[in-house]
Amino acid sequence: PDDIAPTRRALEDHFAGRKEKYEAVVRWRHQRTGDWVWVLATGKVTATDGDGAHRSLSGFVVDITEQKEAEAKLERNRRLLDAFLRFS
């Protein structure tokens, strides 16, 4: 999906020290169902080696599909209301 470039940038920004943590809202294909789901992925480098290379990244991933669907529904309703008010 189109989420790859911004997700990579967010990770690179964290690795370069420009961001304290990695955080991205992305679409992932669900392993069991094959459906596309929205997730919030966040993490932080938790260990480096003697040369400063990243050895460990810890974090979590949360399914936010219902939230994204509710946001989309609200936006559709806002547009419908705006159109109705314009033509009333």
Side-chain angles (χ1 to χ4, degrees):
D2 300 333
D3 310 332
I4 292 173
T7 301
R8 276 203 185 123
R9 243 186 332 274
L11 195 54
E12 290 167 1
D13 284 346
H14 174 58
F15 286 163
R18 292 185 292 270
K19 299 282 184 175
E20 183 179 336
K21 65 180 180 176
Y22 162 75
E23 186 173 287
V25 173
V26 296
R27 290 169 291 169
W28 281 1
R29 190 173 296 274
H30 194 281
Q31 276 185 316
R32 287 190 315 256
T33 66
D35 295 333
W36 285 99
V37 296
W38 285 97
V39 298
L40 167 63
T42 186
K44 186 173 187 174
V45 172
T46 55
T48 57
D49 65 14
D51 297 325
H54 307 113
R55 301 316 251 163
S56 178
L57 177 71
S58 296
F60 60 89
V61 175
V62 178
D63 184 340
I64 60 168
T65 303
E66 286 183 15
Q67 175 186 337
K68 296 296 277 183
E69 289 171 350
E71 289 171 359
K73 187 175 183 178
L74 278 171
E75 180 60 22
R76 280 191 306 274
N77 289 340
R78 185 195 62 77
R79 287 184 198 165
L80 285 170
L81 180 60
D82 286 348
F84 176 77
L85 292 175
R86 264 196 319 274
F87 295 111
S88 300

